[in-house]
Amino acid sequence: MNNGINNDPGNGVDRRGFLRLAGLGGVIFASGLSGWAAAADSMGVAGAEDFFFVQLSDTHWGFEGDVNPDAKGTLQKAVATVNGLEQVPDFIVFTGDLTHTTDDPRERRQRLAQFRDIVAALKVKTVYYMPGEHDAALDNGKAYQEFFGKTHYTFDHKGVHFIVLDNVTDPAARIGDEQLAWLAADLKQQPADARIVVFTHRPLFDLYPQWDWATRDGAKAVELLMPYSNVTVFYGHIHQENHHMTGHIAHHSAKSLIFPLPAPGSQPKRTPLAWDAAHPYQGLGVRTVKPEPRPRNTEYTLNELAVGAAKS
Amino acid sequence: MSVNTNDKKVDAKRRLLLAGCAAGGLGVMAIAVAQPKDRVIKVTAKRFDFSPSVIPLKRGVPVILELTSLDIPMGFNAPDFGVRADMVPGKVAKLRFIPDKTGEFTFYCDIFCGSGHESMSGSLVVT
């Protein structure tokens, strides 16, 4: 278990403080561990139901390399980790890069099929998928859709409106006008105080464009979301945790399940961090968000569950 | 005599005026000659490299990058200067800009082109 604090110097808000802010915007819905109901009451969130979900990201099935000598086993360990959680999550969402890129359309389909078969072992049967650029950019999502259906959609769960946005099947990292119009039409159906959670693969804001950590028209999506007071975005792509605010909208990235990447701009190239045999699976895993209700103050604790911690 | 004197004065003024104009003209020409000429640099892309990958530039000197790809569509993006262009096989895109700061700045491919896409970048070195 890794409880290290990851601060984002870019916005001057440490993680604990950030989550306190973000908690009002929706990250609380990623929790639901014991105590959430009391926390919700203390924050005046009426009618909130206790639930939690797990975000898994960037599994890159098919990748081989020294940066993860267990590339063929990490996904299975993640499945075991989730299956071993004390409380069963309501659902699981994969935020893209399910598979690693291949030019061969047949190999791409093989990898997608293998990925699908491995995650079929998840005890949680409600699983939402979305593509990453490695899955879908070279064929505009054709193979991906054969296995997992639409690349953008919405669903509702216990009073929360979830929106899955596709910013990868266009290899130029555009959401595109058509999807933006669809987003605008969907949002029009929501009241201004709707609890909205957005899933994307790439960040919607310019995190570090020099490493292609951006969405070319992401600002248009953020603009559409801005009138809504309770919005949180969860994304993948950057293989590490990062927390950022665009106005009142909180953006949280997920760790990867294949290899960690360096902090934005911390080195000339975004080459993956080397595997540390002394600390296997460091930087890889899933996280839980636990609210801690106090009489006049609600704080959140992030616990990182390394994949290696799973019983295999 | 006075008329002649006046005429001389007028002539002198005209000469000064003409000289001034000539000097001005020369000045304009001198400025035109001294204005920095656009540098043209050809940049090609192929999976997963740019050539050249390091492009030396001068601050304040306009540059035209002539961009093309040798295999599949790529992108050239230099966010520090707010410029980008598509790099399409068989076509040449011209990207003109004036570097307004010195230092080393990353340019990168912004159209996903495969599993080496993440490492496809280069440097603009502005002195």
Side-chain angles (χ1 to χ4, degrees):
Chain A
M1 189 170 291
N2 170 14
N3 290 319
I5 299 294
N6 177 20
N7 295 336
D8 177 2
N11 57 28
V13 181
D14 69 29
R15 188 169 69 178
R16 182 168 291 263
F18 178 90
L19 285 169
R20 194 159 54 244
L21 296 171
L24 300 174
V27 79
I28 46 179
F29 303 114
S31 67
L33 299 177
S34 57
W36 150 235
D41 286 347
S42 72
M43 287 184 288
V45 181
E49 283 191 76
D50 189 5
F51 76 93
F52 87 114
F53 65 85
V54 168
Q55 178 188 10
L56 298 172
S57 201
D58 296 86
T59 55
H60 285 261
W61 182 256
F63 172 84
E64 290 181 27
D66 294 342
V67 290
N68 186 348
D70 187 32
K72 294 279 183 217
T74 304
L75 178 56
Q76 293 89 329
K77 286 186 173 65
V79 169
T81 301
V82 175
N83 285 342
L85 288 174
E86 191 181 332
Q87 184 176 339
V88 178
D90 284 41
F91 63 85
I92 292 162
V93 59
F94 281 90
T95 45
D97 282 352
L98 317 176
T99 61
H100 198 64
T101 305
T102 170
D103 288 335
D104 181 351
R106 201 172 67 171
E107 175 67 18
R108 183 176 303 122
R109 285 168 174 81
Q110 275 185 2
R111 292 181 185 184
L112 287 164
Q114 288 165 353
F115 170 86
R116 178 197 59 195
D117 294 346
I118 293 166
V119 302
L122 284 163
K123 287 179 185 169
V124 181
K125 292 307 170 197
T126 304
V127 183
Y128 296 99
Y129 301 94
M130 59 188 299
E133 77 281 6
H134 280 260
D135 306 300
L138 292 185
D139 67 357
N140 296 107
K142 190 171 182 297
Y144 172 88
Q145 288 175 66
E146 290 169 16
F147 285 83
F148 298 109
K150 289 182 178 177
T151 61
H152 64 278
Y153 52 91
T154 66
F155 62 94
D156 293 279
H157 187 77
K158 295 186 177 176
V160 181
H161 187 58
F162 291 87
I163 302 172
V164 176
L165 280 182
D166 167 11
N167 53 4
V168 298
T169 59
D170 179 344
R174 274 186 290 246
I175 300 167
D177 291 343
E178 193 178 328
Q179 191 182 177
L180 286 166
W182 168 86
L183 174 64
D186 177 72
L187 289 171
K188 272 189 183 169
Q189 308 300 315
Q190 303 297 323
D193 62 348
R195 288 169 282 172
I196 296 170
V197 173
V198 179
F199 294 123
T200 65
H201 179 67
R202 291 169 169 268
L204 288 179
F205 61 96
D206 280 355
L207 172 58
Y208 196 64
Q210 291 87 339
W211 286 356
D212 207 12
W213 288 356
T215 300
R216 202 178 291 181
D217 54 0
K220 291 181 181 176
V222 172
E223 191 182 330
L224 290 172
L225 292 162
M226 204 53 87
Y228 297 86
S229 54
N230 294 306
V231 179
T232 301
V233 182
F234 291 93
Y235 66 100
H237 191 54
I238 67 166
H239 294 210
Q240 65 194 281
E241 218 183 299
N242 189 281
H243 307 285
H244 181 83
M245 300 294 288
T246 53
H248 63 280
I249 298 176
H251 304 253
H252 306 278
S253 64
K255 289 183 177 183
S256 159
L257 289 170
I258 194 66
F259 52 75
L261 286 168
S266 60
Q267 57 186 52
K269 296 251 182 186
R270 58 186 151 177
T271 46
L273 301 182
W275 178 265
D276 183 349
H279 303 92
Y281 308 103
Q282 190 174 40
L284 312 179
V286 296
R287 68 171 178 231
T288 64
V289 184
K290 182 179 181 182
E292 293 178 343
R294 306 239 168 100
R296 288 174 178 262
N297 183 23
T298 300
E299 292 191 339
Y300 296 83
T301 303
L302 268 181
N303 287 328
E304 308 298 340
L305 299 169
V307 287
K311 296 169 189 169
S312 53
Chain B
M1 290 295 286
S2 63
V3 172
N4 286 342
T5 305
N6 285 340
D7 286 347
K8 282 179 184 172
K9 282 179 183 171
V10 170
D11 285 347
K13 278 183 182 173
R14 279 181 182 160
R15 277 196 296 272
L16 280 171
L17 190 63
L18 287 169
C21 287
L26 284 172
V28 169
M29 284 175 69
I31 289 166
V33 169
Q35 263 195 346
K37 217 178 162 183
D38 290 2
R39 288 183 62 204
V40 177
I41 299 173
K42 295 179 190 301
V43 180
T44 58
K46 67 178 169 61
R47 289 170 136 195
F48 300 100
D49 293 301
F50 287 104
S51 181
S53 61
V54 177
I55 302 174
L57 300 173
K58 292 283 184 191
R59 180 182 172 184
V61 178
V63 62
I64 296 174
L65 300 179
E66 292 187 349
L67 307 160
T68 192
S69 170
L70 301 178
D71 42 28
I72 66 169
M74 309 274 191
F76 179 99
N77 194 331
D80 294 288
F81 299 103
V83 293
R84 78 158 304 280
D86 291 335
M87 302 178 79
V88 180
K91 292 183 180 175
V92 175
K94 292 189 178 182
L95 190 62
R96 183 183 188 275
F97 66 102
I98 304 173
D100 58 356
K101 48 188 175 260
T102 59
E104 187 169 342
F105 307 96
T106 299
F107 63 87
Y108 70 100
C109 174
D110 68 356
I111 295 180
F112 186 79
C113 53
S115 61
H117 166 77
E118 287 84 354
S119 61
M120 190 169 168
S121 62
S123 297
L124 301 172
V125 179
V126 186
T127 53

